[in-house]
Amino acid sequence: MAEPSPHSAPPTLEVRNLQTHFFTRAGVVRAVDDVSFTIGRGKVLGLVGESGSGKTVTGFSIMGLVDPPGRIVGGSILFQGRDLAKLSEEEMRHLRGNRIAMIFQDPMMTLNPVLRIDTQMIETVQAHEKVSEEEARGRARDALGMVGIPSPDERLKSYPHQFSGGMRQRVAIAIALLHRPDLIVADEPTTALDVTIQGQILAEVQKLCATTGTAMLWITHDLSVVAGLADDIAVMYAGRVVEFGDVGEVLDAPLHPYTHGLIGSVPSRNKRGEPLRQIPGMTPSLLKLPEGCSFRARCPRAQEDCLVMPALHDWLPGRLARCHHPHLDEVATA
Amino acid sequence: MSQAQMPMQATNAPRSFSDTETPMVELRGVSRRFAKKLDIAAKLARRLGASVREEIVHAVDRVDLRVRKGEVVGLVGESGCGKSTLGRIVAGILPQSEGEVFWNGENVAAMQGEAAKIGKLRRQMIFQDPYASLNPRMRVADIVGEAPLVHGLTTRGKFDGYVDEQMRRAGLDPAFKRRYPHQFSGGQRQRIGIARALAVAPEFIVCDEAVAALDVSIQAQILNLFMQLRKDLDLTYLFISHDLGVVEHLSDRVVIMYLGRVVEEAPTERVFAAANHPYTQSLLNSVPRIGNRKRAFTTVKGEIPSPLNPPPGCHFHPRCPHAFERCRVEVPVLREIAPGQRSACHLNDAA
């Protein structure tokens, strides 16, 4: 395809130093604290992290779905050059579901259990465009067909509970696709599915991104899914992006010790029967993060200077890491 | 693992660490059905001639399984394949509808009194959800220590020391024993579940998706603990998981289930190098691997059928790329196709 290279075209989404904090009674939770990444047209960015690393809040911030006591307190979210963090609720509503769509882990977050699929899909189409019901129904049917739902005409008349888990997720994806959005934020969309069904959905998503030019933010804890699906990867730890780069390069030779440990602890990366390499300790509470680098206490390379928070630095072309002592030696040998 | 590669036939040979010994756990033709009983309205409707029938799920359908002492057997399958039900039957917390369960060669149903109690105590289970499997209103010390106290493995006087030892072994600080489960993280809670299971000195552990709810880095810690404990306490595991990466790492032998039936069983290397059953092959192809880069997803067509209404013949035939007429009518039997490898597929007869 004659797509412009991502380096010349402006990125679909550029998140710069995003900060989303929750002002709770127990204190300020810095759920997202300095997150930056870019996604080009038709590209898939895998946003990876463990529970509580802030990946979901990042997705919600982009969608403008952060509820009080949470608030975006800093940074910018540039979507095709417009800063989403500065838009009014009304302006955001025109974009949401139209130019930007979201897919959740649980498709029942998207679907209304008491309405038929066609009602919900037609409503979605007509919310953003003045089209006849006939035409909206046609668009809904095409969208269902596109995500591989057999006999879409019949299935339109079904209720959500009449679908299996995998099919429900397909319907949720179809709804996200109705307006051919420029960006889809997908939050762990295949985590609850069986592997064979996950494989089917991943294959559909790959096809869609390649053919429609939709950019995708794929939020997951599963490195193996990102390995096969994404173009770029951003790794989050304790509210910050600690590493960003091309998915192959990062997974083959990670710079940040946390990424290194995370990849090392995947069972298939270890010799069978040998103890798994593990990261000692556990994720710190976001309420009382240690001073300096948040990973310091668990890091085998930590030194005195780690008491100062490192910046996200581009150690190599296109390879960013938030670390004073990255694994540069291994990149040379990889 | 040499014992994993030996043939599966067991005889009454002397006890040694080989396949010829009596398996620690053996299932013969075990089935488990769950029936949804008819309510009054449905019964009335049936009286009046409506075609209402009890819905029966064959969660486990005539399964044979052997686990030898010291072995780690991985039990793999997708949702609804009956792996958890089978695990519960093996652990002795769910009775089977049909078939026999043997513990060290003795029929569990025929065991009585003290022997039955001890037999049950020797088989323990660790559950998937560390949030749901611990009583939120009990302190850790009581969660871990209650069973050993009841079964006379410790006394009131030695209780504290006993609990401390159990907690330390599972990697928990005994200083936390007065705390409640909600005061722990997910990984620590799973350790409490492990300490509780091990506190009654079991020989056989059923792990039902024991690491599925944990983050990768915590998962690695718990898996390492499982392996350490296996070495220290000479444990035997039935490790139930949908995660093939975890199973490959841990198991000596893998059993694959699909809709209530075992479709293939073989030593781990064999499964991952030369899977025989088309379902195993497509399962392995669907698993995303960290080494597989960019755009390499292959798919199995179709959905997992409802266990309420499974397809006739081979359960996998509607999704199978090699299905032929015989698969639609005849249930394939699990047959040995290579040393230690058994598969239930008609294709093996054609050759």
Side-chain angles (χ1 to χ4, degrees), chain A residues 275-311:
Chain A
L276 294 165
R277 283 182 295 258
Q278 60 183 48
I279 306 176
M282 50 187 171
T283 322
S285 157
L286 289 172
L287 270 172
K288 34 178 194 250
L289 284 176
E291 199 185 329
C293 174
S294 336
F295 189 59
R296 182 167 51 90
R298 305 173 72 186
C299 183
R301 296 167 82 99
Q303 287 173 31
E304 279 295 300
D305 52 353
C306 297
L307 280 165
V308 179
M309 169 60 76

Side-chain angles (χ1 to χ4, degrees), chain A residues 233-246:
Chain A
I233 183 171
V235 182
M236 283 189 75
Y237 185 76
R240 291 186 172 89
V241 169
V242 294
E243 178 149 11
F244 179 86
D246 172 80

